[in-house]
Amino acid sequence: IPHLRQAVIINTTNKARVSEYRDRLYLVQAYRAKGMAQPLGGELDAVHRLALDATLAPEWLRRLGKVEARAGRVNRARTMLTLMSKTAGDATAASSVNRNAAAEGAHFDVVRGEIELGEGRPAKAVEFLQSAHVIDPQTDTLDSLAAALLGAGELEEAAKRYEEILARSDAGNESQDQT
């Protein structure tokens, strides 16, 4: 957490908005893992403001949409869907190095699925997330699917998905830290 805070300060000072956004998302995950609700909420607010001020591609906004929905901030997750719609297909939007425009639909389905899950409709969430997983089989997508399956009471299927996550060799990939 201290290192992430320092990274945020460096990125803010250097006006490296995408790096600041990314590092603040990591900080949110660290606070969440430690059960630190108060700083988590403040950091989520900061990340949300950055998302509103920047032009970020859907794959970046998806990450925040997922975190917002899981934190019970479903309306803010919906805001991410709106922003994603504005930057979908925009070649000038800040994006990851390996941007895949064909996977943009999956980014939307992940956020939609997380919203459905956050609103207590896990069966509908499973539909969105199964679709997303076919297009974009990242660990992050698989995590969302596993959570929805668990919420829908499909315990064996959820366990299989979580076991698949544990067996993956893509540890160290930024997206795997967003689950």
Side-chain angles (χ1 to χ4, degrees):
I1 290 174
H3 293 293
L4 288 168
R5 286 183 185 153
Q6 183 179 17
V8 166
I9 291 167
I10 292 167
N11 292 325
T12 303
T13 301
N14 291 329
K15 298 185 182 357
R17 297 184 66 83
V18 174
S19 295
E20 179 186 354
Y21 177 84
R22 181 198 60 222
D23 289 342
R24 284 186 183 276
L25 276 174
Y26 285 142
L27 193 51
V28 163
Q29 293 306 107
Y31 287 142
R32 190 173 122 205
K34 292 278 195 178
M36 301 169 71
Q38 185 177 3
L40 182 142
E43 204 57 48
L44 262 178
D45 291 342
V47 177
H48 193 84
R49 282 190 302 275
L50 280 168
L52 293 174
D53 291 342
T55 304
L56 299 170
E59 72 265 20
W60 285 105
L61 297 170
R62 154 200 175 145
R63 295 173 185 198
L64 180 55
K66 177 177 178 171
V67 172
E68 293 277 28
R70 291 222 179 158
R73 298 175 171 208
V74 176
N75 286 334
R76 286 186 172 207
R78 280 194 185 88
T79 300
M80 289 306 104
L81 280 176
T82 301
L83 288 176
M84 289 167 72
S85 295
K86 292 178 182 177
T87 62
D90 181 352
T92 65
S95 65
S96 62
V97 174
N98 58 349
R99 184 173 188 184
N100 179 353
E104 282 191 348
H107 302 315
F108 284 87
D109 282 347
V110 167
V111 177
R112 288 181 187 119
E114 290 286 348
I115 289 170
E116 292 295 330
L117 190 57
E119 291 184 330
R121 293 184 294 274
K124 186 67 177 168
V126 168
E127 290 177 29
F128 281 117
L129 295 163
Q130 283 175 329
S131 174
H133 185 254
V134 167
I135 297 167
D136 183 32
Q138 291 185 53
T139 303
D140 177 57
T141 307
L142 190 56
D143 167 69
S144 292
L145 177 57
L149 288 164
L150 183 63
E154 297 183 40
L155 304 182
E156 286 184 35
E157 285 300 311
K160 287 178 188 176
R161 299 300 180 254
Y162 284 122
E163 287 172 357
E164 190 178 331
I165 291 168
L166 293 172
R168 286 192 164 208
S169 62
D170 59 354
N173 179 332
E174 286 184 16
S175 64
Q176 61 96 22
D177 291 324
Q178 298 302 313
T179 58

